[in-house]
Amino acid sequence: MCLMRQRMPSSTAGTTNCRWWARSHCSRCRAKKAAGKASTRVIPRNGKRTPGAGGDGGSAAGRGAGVSATGGKSAQGAKGVKASKASKAAKPAKPAKPTLSFDEEIARRKKRRRFRSLMAVLVIIVISVVLLASGTGYLYQAHQTEQSYVQTLSDAIDLLTQTDEVMLDLDEELQDPFESVSEEKLQSIRQATQEVLPTLDQADELAKSASANLVNSDEQDVAGQTVTAISSRESMISYGLQILEAAYTAKSASQQMMDGWYAVAEADEDARAAAALVEDPTPENIQASMEQTQAAIDALNNASQLISQAQQNYPAVNRDAYISYITKRVEALGYALASDQALLDRNKEEAQAQNDAYNQADAEAAELAQGLDEDPTAAYEAAFDQATKQDFEAFEAARTQAGASDAAIRDYLGKQTK
């Protein structure tokens, strides 16, 4: 008897109930609870229902819903149990899995691992073959591209070497341009250099393309040296032509000055011959003296014209002193010519006055001659050297650079032939 049981009024005689909080202490309650547990579904660890332990396919004892309040079976409960058993009997039985021994299970798992490892190796091999094929294709393509630019570099060097002869002629002419230059040589070198400039431009384009695309550092350096060699040669041509042009201009003016000075010397001879004739003042000698004097004047006028042209063509050398000297000499000879004419006219006083004027002018001319150079052409070479000093320095710098680049190219070509 539950210690906490109390009598409760009920509509059914003789029926007693425990208070809800004391049911666990009542024997009747424990009996009901046990009966309820018997109707609970039991799920085994493998997740399958066990026949007879409750559920749809369990025994009648496990169906709490099929038991009446008095403990008897209801009609619906009995029919449900029979239908459930009939449906289970109709289902085909599953074949039981063969049970492997411990060694067999270990062997099975090893075999599976070997299969998986083999598959992994095959996958890696396939991927490697694909990568190798693509990499080989890329390397082949890269090699072909590199070789094409190596050929481009070779073409540039070939074009560069085609200008060697012209560059050697230019360099040789610049060893002493003032002395060796002539109109024919200048024209020849000017034409030859103008013809090789397109070749250098083409070589420069090829060399720059090779330099920008070559991967090999040695060949890339040679391509750069080729670009430098081309640029240096173009500079040599530019400065070399400027020097030769200046040399030709200076030398031409120098030649004009020399021709003028030769005319002055010719006038001196005519003037001396005229003076010798009047020592015996016969009419014939006086007439011959006048002719010689006029020839001297003509020679001096020619000299003045040549020297003036020289100064105009090459203003760096001032020839005013020579022109002043020649002008004074022409003045003096004019007095001599007038004196001879007075002798022919038998006017001794006029002849003497004109002769005195001649002597005065001739003395002044001699004084002017003191300021003249012994070599009237020396100033032209000196002026040329001064005017072209920077051009020579630039030419020599380009020549040195071209020589260094040519040496690097020759070294590369030497290695290629080995």
Side-chain angles (χ1 to χ4, degrees):
M1 176 71 74
C2 181
L3 295 176
M4 303 300 295
R5 196 182 80 174
Q6 297 182 6
R7 300 284 296 182
M8 298 295 292
S10 174
S11 60
T12 306
T15 302
T16 61
N17 288 314
C18 294
R19 292 180 63 88
W20 61 272
W21 46 268
R23 287 178 183 172
S24 60
H25 300 284
C26 176
S27 60
R28 185 184 296 176
C29 293
R30 287 196 299 271
K32 289 182 178 181
K33 186 174 182 181
K37 287 183 177 181
S39 64
T40 303
R41 297 178 182 179
V42 178
I43 306 299
R45 292 184 180 180
N46 58 7
K48 297 181 180 180
R49 295 174 184 173
T50 304
D56 293 339
S59 63
R63 288 183 174 271
V67 181
S68 65
T70 58
K73 293 182 180 179
S74 65
Q76 289 181 345
K79 290 180 180 181
V81 171
K82 291 180 179 181
S84 177
K85 289 182 177 182
S87 63
K88 281 184 174 281
K91 291 181 180 179
K94 293 183 179 180
K97 293 183 179 179
T99 303
L100 299 177
S101 67
F102 179 78
D103 293 337
E104 291 174 338
E105 179 65 18
I106 294 299
R108 183 185 67 82
R109 293 185 180 183
K110 287 183 178 181
K111 182 178 181 181
R112 180 178 295 179
R113 282 197 299 269
R114 285 195 300 271
F115 177 75
R116 290 177 180 174
S117 299
L118 179 61
M119 291 301 297
V121 171
L122 290 176
V123 170
I124 293 174
I125 292 174
V126 171
I127 294 174
S128 300
V129 170
V130 172
L131 291 176
L132 181 61
S134 60
T136 302
Y138 172 78
L139 291 176
Y140 176 77
Q141 183 64 33
H143 176 73
Q144 291 296 105
T145 302
E146 181 78 359
Q147 290 303 309
S148 68
Y149 285 113
V150 170
Q151 183 60 46
T152 300
L153 173 59
S154 178
D155 294 340
I157 294 175
D158 289 341
L159 290 172
L160 180 64
T161 56
Q162 293 177 17
T163 67
D164 286 346
E165 185 176 354
V166 174
M167 300 307 299
L168 289 174
D169 291 342
L170 175 63
D171 183 66
E172 182 178 358
E173 195 66 26
L174 288 171
Q175 297 302 312
D176 189 2
F178 188 85
E179 182 65 28
S180 63
V181 71
S182 65
E183 184 177 2
E184 294 76 14
K185 286 185 177 181
L186 177 61
Q187 183 63 28
S188 176
I189 291 177
R190 185 189 293 120
Q191 181 178 354
T193 53
Q194 293 303 313
E195 288 177 354
V196 301
L197 285 178
T199 303
L200 289 174
D201 290 339
Q202 185 179 359
D204 183 61
E205 182 178 354
L206 294 175
K208 286 180 177 178
S209 176
S211 178
N213 293 280
L214 283 169
V215 176
N216 184 279
S217 59
D218 292 338
E219 291 173 340
Q220 190 178 43
D221 179 67
V222 173
Q225 293 288 354
T226 304
V227 173
T228 302
I230 294 169
S231 177
S232 299
R233 293 188 182 206
E234 290 175 341
S235 297
M236 289 174 65
I237 290 173
S238 177
Y239 290 115
L241 287 178
Q242 291 181 28
I243 293 171
L244 290 177
E245 294 281 358
Y248 177 72
T249 302
K251 189 172 183 178
S252 297
S254 174
Q255 186 62 49
Q256 288 174 327
M257 179 65 205
M258 181 59 69
D259 293 341
W261 197 243
Y262 285 153
V264 171
E266 183 181 349
D268 286 343
E269 291 179 2
D270 291 335
R272 285 193 294 268
L277 288 170
V278 295
E279 290 180 1
D280 182 10
T282 63
E284 295 78 10
N285 288 342
I286 293 173
Q287 187 64 40
S289 175
M290 293 177 65
E291 292 176 359
Q292 289 289 332
T293 301
Q294 187 60 48
I297 292 173
D298 292 340
L300 288 173
N301 288 332
N302 183 38
S304 178
Q305 183 179 3
L306 289 171
I307 293 173
S308 296
Q309 289 177 353
Q311 180 163 320
Q312 183 179 358
N313 293 335
Y314 203 75
V317 179
N318 191 305
R319 302 284 86 175
D320 289 342
Y322 287 88
I323 295 173
S324 297
Y325 166 74
I326 293 171
T327 301
K328 184 59 69 172
R329 287 290 306 276
V330 171
E331 179 186 349
L333 291 176
Y335 294 136
L337 191 61
S339 177
D340 290 342
Q341 185 63 45
L343 288 175
L344 287 176
D345 296 339
R346 296 181 181 278
N347 189 346
K348 293 183 179 181
E349 293 180 358
E350 179 66 19
Q352 187 62 45
Q354 293 294 331
N355 190 66
D356 292 341
Y358 165 79
N359 290 332
Q360 179 65 31
D362 188 65
E364 293 177 359
E367 187 176 352
L368 290 174
Q370 297 298 321
L372 301 180
D373 299 329
E374 293 183 2
D375 183 2
T377 62
Y380 287 93
E381 186 171 3
F384 162 75
D385 291 339
Q386 182 63 31
T388 58
K389 181 179 180 181
Q390 293 184 350
D391 290 337
F392 263 112
E393 291 175 353
F395 177 84
E396 287 299 326
R399 181 174 178 269
T400 301
Q401 183 61 65
S405 297
D406 288 350
I409 294 172
R410 287 194 299 271
D411 183 63
Y412 167 75
L413 294 176
K415 292 178 180 179
Q416 294 297 105
T417 56
K418 291 181 179 180

